[in-house]
Amino acid sequence: MRSDYGDDFNALHFADTAEVKTVSFNPAVSYKVNETLMVGFGLSATFADAEISSAVSPSLSPILSGALQTTVPSTTSIFKLEGDDWGYGWNAGIFWQPTDMTNIAFSHRAETKLELSGAVSSSLTASLNQPGSLDLNLAATTELAVNQKINQQWSVQASVVFTDWSTFEKLEANLADGTDFLIKQENFDDSMRAAFGVTYIMNDEITLRAGYAYDDGVVTVENRSLSIPDTDRHWVSGGLTYTMSDNTSIDAAYVFIDGRKADIDKTRALNADGSFTSTFVGSQSATAHILSVQLNTRF
């Protein structure tokens, strides 16, 4: 996940770059209890690498230059934090087939706790230039999903996902000298995502799919930030499976995500002692296009 604003953005002092990259290893085992019930369990190891920063924006540069009586060019670093860590967790699932026409699945992925260790740097506040760490937890998720066949060609699907985002309260760097540097107060709320879909088996080779989901945003106007912009989202998707042989198939899908327009009203200090503050009032909206292709084969 990454947000990166251009050098000419007039609110770089609120948000410049925010990025989290993760790689997860998740071995899992499953057990068939009987003809209608299966259970599974997995352990995960996740490596995370993160960066978050803010910088002097073009509109702020002349103000700071006059106040500090020194030249402060645009894009000068206000702060930058980089760090990485390994985190561990678990996940479990249940698959139940009460009838030949109905499948029900329940899964839970536990929270992964990370303490990103690295360094903080700043071109404006010398005291921030030291090693530091930041706690960042990947939220637990719980999902209930149903697949209902109507006949040999048609079936419908539905799912509800609960994400425990309220565990994400703030971004705060714990500096080596024992002080805490509050980067952003996030105060995320828990969220729900509801989705439904339809599947049509056209013939032995082609299966068509379509779906819609509503994804609940996790922040209020008071807590919405430019670094991690979040709003309610609508997902519309379509795809197909092409079966090339008994052992090989290709999946392709397209998803359009439409993020609701939302207001932002934030005030923040520009340095550690709070002597300079700035306010940003505006709105945000976003769309995304996802295209995916998958090859499946078995031996």
Side-chain angles (χ1 to χ4, degrees):
M1 299 183 292
R2 178 180 175 90
S3 62
D4 188 4
Y5 294 93
D7 290 345
D8 59 348
F9 183 48
N10 273 325
L12 286 178
H13 48 291
F14 282 90
D16 185 3
T17 299
E19 180 180 57
V20 177
K21 294 181 289 187
T22 62
V23 178
S24 292
F25 302 90
N26 198 131
V29 295
S30 62
Y31 176 71
K32 188 175 183 178
V33 179
N34 52 45
E35 292 302 315
T36 64
L37 182 65
M38 289 182 287
V39 296
F41 179 80
L43 295 173
S44 62
T46 299
F47 176 75
D49 181 87
E51 173 189 334
I52 186 168
S53 66
S54 67
V56 175
S57 63
S59 63
L60 192 67
S61 178
I63 299 174
L64 282 178
S65 297
L68 299 177
Q69 297 181 344
T70 185
T71 301
V72 183
S74 177
T75 72
T76 298
S77 172
I78 297 176
F79 80 86
K80 181 178 182 180
L81 183 145
E82 296 176 289
D84 56 57
D85 189 27
W86 281 90
Y88 304 93
W90 59 271
N91 47 91
I94 300 172
F95 179 84
W96 180 40
Q97 190 175 22
T99 72
D100 291 340
M101 305 292 281
T102 305
N103 298 329
I104 300 173
F106 177 83
S107 66
H108 177 76
R109 179 172 293 276
E111 177 184 56
T112 300
K113 296 184 178 181
L114 298 163
E115 184 180 351
L116 304 170
S117 297
V120 180
S121 60
S122 173
S123 297
L124 291 183
T125 308
S127 61
L128 292 179
N129 293 298
Q130 57 179 295
S133 64
L134 181 142
D135 293 334
L136 179 66
N137 297 337
L138 304 181
T141 60
T142 304
E143 179 173 9
L144 176 66
V146 178
N147 176 54
Q148 178 65 50
K149 292 183 179 179
I150 299 175
N151 53 42
Q152 294 303 311
Q153 288 184 294
W154 290 93
S155 63
V156 293
Q157 297 77 37
S159 72
V160 177
V161 181
F162 172 81
T163 304
D164 184 23
W165 273 123
S166 59
T167 187
F168 186 34
E169 297 180 354
K170 59 185 177 181
L171 289 172
E172 185 175 67
N174 308 118
L175 304 181
D177 65 3
T179 61
D180 296 327
F181 173 56
L182 180 63
I183 299 172
K184 285 182 175 62
Q185 191 75 38
E186 298 292 351
N187 293 328
F188 274 23
D189 297 325
D190 294 333
S191 70
M192 297 286 288
R193 181 180 186 270
F196 68 88
V198 60
T199 299
Y200 175 65
I201 302 175
M202 180 180 294
N203 52 46
D204 291 340
E205 294 181 338
I206 298 176
T207 299
L208 303 177
R209 299 182 179 85
Y212 168 80
Y214 179 77
D215 204 356
D216 188 25
V218 297
V219 294
T220 61
V221 174
E222 179 184 0
N223 293 309
R224 185 171 289 113
S225 70
L226 287 168
S227 292
I228 310 176
D230 186 75
T231 65
D232 300 339
R233 292 169 295 278
H234 299 275
W235 298 56
V236 180
S237 62
L240 61 85
T241 296
Y242 175 63
T243 302
M244 303 171 63
S245 68
D246 290 342
N247 295 324
T248 304
S249 63
I250 296 176
D251 296 320
Y254 167 74
V255 180
F256 173 70
I257 305 174
D258 183 22
R260 180 179 62 85
K261 184 177 180 180
D263 296 326
I264 303 175
D265 187 349
K266 301 294 291 183
T267 298
R268 66 160 299 162
L270 303 178
N271 56 13
D273 62 12
S275 56
F276 297 98
T277 61
S278 178
T279 299
F280 178 89
V281 178
S283 62
Q284 66 176 42
S285 61
T287 59
H289 303 270
I290 302 174
L291 180 64
S292 59
V293 179
Q294 176 174 285
L295 174 66
N296 314 287
T297 188
R298 60 184 179 181
F299 305 94

